[in-house]
Every structure is written in C-alpha cells, then in structure tokens.
Amino acid sequence: MISGHVDHYQSLSSEDKGWGCGWRNIQMLSSHLLKQRPEAREALFGGSGFVPDIPSLQRWLEIAWDKKFDTLGSSHFHNKVYGAKKWIGTTECAALLRSFGLRARVVDFDSTESSGPHSKNGKHAPKRVQGPMDKFLIKNVSPTSTSSELCREDAENMRGQQVLVDWIWNYFASRHSDNSDSSRRVLVSDKTPLYFQHQGHSRTIVGIQKQNGQRGNQDRFTLLILDPGHRTSDLERALRSKTGWQRLVKRGVHTLRKPQYQLCYVDPGIASSEEMEQLKTIDSILVRF
C-alpha cells in the first residue's frame, strides 16, 4: 500500500546536514500535495506550483506564526527561524501547512509516563503538542533493572510497535484508488505520505507492506520510508536497477524501538475561515501503547 507521487529530498552537507531533516520532509510532503491535490496546489506557497527551498520555507513558517498559528510553538523559537540551523518537527510542519488552509493533523504515539496530564517540567498537557521536540524525551533504563523488568519492557515495545504499524496500515488502507480489485499486489492510497518524527531524526513514510501470516502466524508489516539522510542519486540508481532499493526504503517493525513517535498527515480539502481559527491551535491525537 503506497501513497501517490512524492519526490525525495536529501540533506546536503553544504546546506543542512545534521539539522535539516524536518525541512526536507516538509518538501517531500509538499511535492505530493502539489502533484496529487489540485486544491493544495492553488493554495500552497502563493500558488507558485513548486516546492520552495529551506530558506523560503523558513520565511513561510514565520508568516504562519505572524498569523498566530501555533503561538505556543513559535515562542520556542522566539518567533524567528529564518537563517537558523534549528531542528523542527511535526508541529512546525502542521502550522506551516495549516496557514494555507490545509487540514494538517498530528498524531502522538507515546509509551512514556510523560504522556500523562503533566510532564516533569509541569507544562505538557496530554492532547497538546507544545514544541518541536517536547514529546521526544529519552526513556532511560535504570542500571539496576532486573532481567524480568527488561523482558517486560521488550514486550511493551513489541505491543507499541504493533499499535503503530496497525495505525499506519489502516491509515493508508482507508482510502485507495483500487477498491475494485483487492487482488492487486500493489495498491495506491489516496492518503498523503506521513511525516514521521522520533527522537533524533525524522523521515517520510510513503507506504507500508503487509505479508500475510502463514499457518497461524501473525501478518508481517514493513514500512516504506524515504530518508533525507540518503542520497537521492543512490536511491534513484537502486530503484532503476531494481537492486538494493530494499536496503534504502524498507524498515521492519523491529527497528521501531523509540518510546515516542509523532506523525503528521493532511486531510483533503481547504478549511473555511471559521475552521482556520480552530486550526491555529495545534492539538494532537494521542495514542498510548
């Protein structure tokens, strides 16, 4: 199950290596919206019809903040990001896209105690995304943890992985263009790619593969991911030759070892003026595991 058109954008050592992955994922998501959604093409980036570079995206984000989109998150950057080598996340992606009237949504997957009413700093609410990296606190294992506690944590991680991939499969499967032929090996979803954030990095999920379980075994899922850390030329060469592309694109469930993840996607349509006011506050859907 894959999304439609999407261009890969890589981080460049001369421009944004080490800090620009979030901007590159916005570019990937924007490339899909411009190609697949006519209403988004008219609304995005002044109707220019092309994906802006990082400095231009930074300007557009500042304009969104000036329009009072995500005032809480903008305060983290002191309302200025142009020319700065600062990490951003799903919150900034949602704020930027919402400022054009797009219905960008954020989903939290959280297994930590900080997903309760307040985190240790007392400022994090359970259904509100507060800043670009507020959600991504590292869950440390105590050196005195017993083997049974570690086994229990492994089991919890496995459950969390399954919750996440089940959600992603259902997301892409809920709308696709090939409803008339369920026997096809590849289905193209009408859904946007997913901006995929976790502690230390972000990538773009462009689809998911399911291999049906045999003889009572569970179905096996594999995420299909475009990583800004990979070179576009390497990816293009591998896809054209049909050799080695799996190493660059496929990521098994066993790789999902972080305690917290965030996703950003875009629902169809353009918001009304009344809805635009509601979109200025970036709330998230919280999924606990």
Side-chain angles (χ1 to χ4, degrees):
M1 189 77 66
I2 59 173
S3 61
H5 176 96
V6 58
D7 294 325
H8 178 259
Y9 284 81
Q10 72 175 67
S11 292
L12 301 173
S13 57
S14 60
E15 294 182 18
D16 64 300
K17 198 77 170 180
W19 60 271
C21 57
W23 298 106
R24 296 305 184 183
N25 289 307
I26 291 177
Q27 289 178 319
M28 288 194 241
L29 184 52
S30 297
S31 74
H32 172 89
L33 292 166
L34 291 171
K35 184 75 172 181
Q36 300 288 128
R37 302 256 181 102
E39 76 279 9
R41 184 179 179 86
E42 291 183 11
L44 277 172
F45 313 123
S48 64
F50 63 84
V51 178
D53 57 15
I54 290 178
S56 297
L57 287 175
Q58 290 175 327
R59 285 293 196 198
W60 281 116
L61 180 57
E62 289 184 349
I63 292 171
W65 288 341
D66 288 342
K67 294 178 179 179
K68 307 303 181 184
F69 284 86
D70 190 27
T71 54
L72 194 59
S74 66
S75 64
H76 174 88
F77 296 93
H78 304 291
N79 303 308
K80 181 173 176 57
V81 74
Y82 177 74
K85 297 180 179 180
K86 292 182 179 180
W87 284 45
I88 61 163
T90 53
T91 321
E92 287 67 50
C93 176
L96 192 156
L97 295 178
R98 286 184 177 196
S99 70
F100 296 107
L102 301 187
R103 298 181 173 112
R105 314 295 186 193
V106 176
V107 185
D108 275 296
F109 293 83
D110 200 332
S111 65
T112 71
E113 294 179 359
S114 65
S115 63
H118 298 283
S119 64
K120 290 181 181 179
N121 60 17
K123 69 174 186 178
H124 186 78
K127 297 189 72 175
R128 172 70 61 80
V129 182
Q130 297 233 348
M133 297 299 289
D134 280 4
K135 292 291 296 178
F136 305 109
L137 308 174
I138 298 174
K139 183 178 180 181
N140 295 314
V141 177
S142 169
T144 59
S145 298
T146 66
S147 59
S148 62
E149 289 172 334
L150 293 175
C151 288
R152 184 168 61 251
E153 183 164 334
D154 286 341
E156 290 173 353
N157 285 339
M158 290 177 63
R159 284 194 296 273
Q161 294 163 359
Q162 197 60 46
V163 169
L164 178 60
V165 296
D166 283 347
W167 190 97
I168 293 171
W169 173 263
N170 290 328
Y171 167 80
F172 283 115
S174 63
R175 289 176 61 92
H176 61 79
S177 305
D178 303 297
N179 289 314
S180 59
D181 187 1
S182 59
S183 65
R184 293 186 58 173
R185 292 173 61 88
V186 177
L187 298 177
V188 179
S189 173
D190 292 337
K191 291 286 195 173
T192 65
L194 294 164
Y195 183 126
F196 183 44
Q197 177 84 48
H198 53 83
Q199 200 278 331
H201 195 34
S202 62
R203 297 166 287 174
T204 297
I205 299 174
V206 297
I208 184 170
Q209 179 188 51
K210 181 171 75 170
Q211 294 175 286
N212 293 326
Q214 302 293 326
R215 299 175 183 174
N217 293 324
Q218 284 188 324
D219 295 339
R220 188 168 67 178
F221 293 92
T222 303
L223 299 181
L224 306 177
I225 288 177
L226 294 182
D227 191 332
H230 292 153
R231 294 173 56 183
T232 302
S233 58
D234 291 343
L235 183 61
E236 184 179 16
R237 189 181 307 111
L239 289 170
R240 287 188 182 279
S241 65
K242 298 182 180 180
T243 57
W245 66 270
Q246 295 94 335
R247 175 179 57 85
L248 296 173
V249 174
K250 288 189 174 184
R251 291 295 177 268
V253 176
H254 65 281
T255 65
L256 303 174
R257 297 188 175 276
K258 301 294 184 181
Q260 296 165 310
Y261 293 92
Q262 275 185 331
L263 301 175
C264 181
Y265 64 93
V266 181
D267 278 334
I270 300 295
S272 64
S273 56
E274 182 179 348
E275 187 181 353
M276 285 284 281
E277 288 302 311
Q278 299 173 349
L279 290 176
K280 289 182 177 180
T281 301
I282 311 293
D283 288 328
S284 73
I285 302 165
L286 176 63
V287 180
R288 300 192 186 193
F289 55 81

